Amino acid sequence: ENALVRASIEYKDALSDQVKAAQASRIAKVSELQATVSMLETQKGLAAQSEQIAALMGNEVGVRRAKITQLEIDIKLTKAKAEVAKAEAEGTIAVAEATRAEMQAKGEINPVKEAEIAASIRSARAKLAEADAIRKSAEVTDRELTNLRNGANNAGNGISKSMDGARESVEGV
């Protein structure tokens, strides 16, 4: 009987440790991703400064490049923020499920606590769906930017080929 009691206590302690580990994991993942967001926000600010400097110098190509860089950073920033939201939501779900298991093992679960945990999980799942939608939106914007770039490059190549053809025609005269 002593072994059974000891095993029960160890099991409950393990579940408690699991809750703490889930909380620590959530904090670590979120803080790492927030550092990425912070870095991207700094890069965006630098790109905005580059745009202003290019504008002051009358460098239209530089202004255009800086704006494109800002858009690229905005896309990365949106994706990074979606990853933060995803990590937060996944962490919330892990903590809630671990808490539920711990409370059940200790016999502390009641209908109110169960409803709170279930609501927390539903809310986190909704945030997961929202984060996924934001990420997909950023991917669409990224593809549009790539298509614009490719279209501009192709148009530029077409103009160059036309100019080469015109030069060859003039040289033949």
Side-chain angles (χ1 to χ4, degrees):
E1 193 173 317
N2 246 355
L4 185 59
V5 171
R6 195 174 20 234
S8 175
I9 290 170
E10 288 176 8
Y11 176 69
K12 292 172 186 174
D13 286 345
L15 289 173
S16 180
D17 290 344
Q18 188 177 6
V19 170
K20 291 174 187 166
Q23 290 169 334
S25 176
R26 176 182 64 187
I27 291 168
K29 286 178 184 176
V30 169
S31 66
E32 181 181 326
L33 292 167
Q34 285 175 335
T36 300
V37 167
S38 179
M39 180 204 58
L40 288 168
E41 287 172 342
T42 301
Q43 287 180 354
K44 184 178 175 186
L46 292 172
Q49 289 176 351
S50 294
E51 178 189 354
Q52 291 171 351
I53 291 169
L56 289 172
M57 296 174 70
N59 181 351
E60 290 180 31
V61 172
V63 169
R64 214 170 314 126
R65 283 187 184 142
K67 284 184 178 185
I68 289 171
T69 299
Q70 287 176 69
L71 184 55
E72 291 169 340
I73 294 169
D74 270 337
I75 292 166
K76 290 177 186 175
L77 191 55
T78 300
K79 288 179 181 179
K81 286 180 179 180
E83 287 300 313
V84 168
K86 178 182 175 188
E88 287 174 340
E90 288 175 343
T92 297
I93 291 169
V95 169
E97 289 174 345
T99 301
R100 176 190 285 149
E102 178 187 22
M103 291 179 84
Q104 285 172 339
K106 290 181 177 180
E108 297 174 353
I109 197 82
N110 61 49
V112 173
K113 289 290 182 186
E114 179 62 36
E116 288 173 356
I117 291 170
S120 174
I121 291 171
R122 278 193 306 276
S123 175
R125 286 190 178 136
K127 285 184 182 184
L128 276 175
E130 182 181 345
D132 189 51
I134 290 169
R135 183 189 52 77
K136 286 178 181 176
S137 174
E139 287 173 358
V140 167
T141 304
D142 193 20
R143 280 194 299 275
E144 288 174 0
L145 179 61
T146 299
N147 289 341
L148 282 172
R149 257 197 231 108
N150 290 341
N153 289 341
N154 291 339
N157 290 340
I159 291 169
S160 294
K161 288 178 185 174
S162 296
M163 292 298 287
D164 289 344
R167 275 192 213 102
E168 289 171 8
S169 298
V170 171
E171 288 172 3
V173 174

